[in-house]
Amino acid sequence: FRLSLEACYKARMQAMGLTAKEIEQRLDDFVQFGKPEHAQFYHARDAALKTAKRLGCNISHFYMVGDNPRSDITGAVEMNK
């Protein structure tokens, strides 16, 4: 997935007129997060809480639905701490 994403990013940056060196410098700043990376789950939690607040709802627990039960459950458990 990362290689596909980088190829699309490079093509888009080239179309915008960036040089190869500028593109590589930007890619050097790339950080990949995978499950159960805390930042990924905290972002999802914060987005859900913000939406719930806007709608006047309360959220007491978070559940994760995904493709890898081990990492998805680990991430959801961490979100509820």
Side-chain angles (χ1 to χ4, degrees):
F1 178 78
R2 180 179 175 165
L3 294 177
S4 297
L5 181 61
E6 281 185 18
C8 291
Y9 181 80
K10 285 179 181 180
R12 178 69 178 132
M13 294 300 104
Q14 288 171 344
M16 293 175 60
L18 273 72
T19 66
K21 183 177 180 178
E22 290 171 317
I23 294 169
E24 289 305 316
Q25 287 173 335
R26 287 182 179 213
L27 285 173
D28 286 343
D29 293 335
F30 180 79
V31 177
Q32 182 173 339
F33 293 103
K35 296 181 292 186
E37 179 65 42
H38 296 288
Q40 191 176 41
F41 288 95
Y42 291 149
H43 175 75
R45 180 194 63 196
D46 292 345
L49 290 171
K50 182 179 178 181
T51 300
K53 183 177 180 180
R54 183 175 49 83
L55 297 174
C57 302
N58 292 318
I59 296 176
S60 60
H61 288 82
F62 292 91
Y63 299 90
M64 179 65 195
V65 177
D67 61 338
N68 184 326
R70 177 179 284 163
S71 63
D72 296 337
I73 291 169
T74 300
V77 167
E78 290 296 317
M79 283 175 47
N80 286 308
K81 286 185 176 180

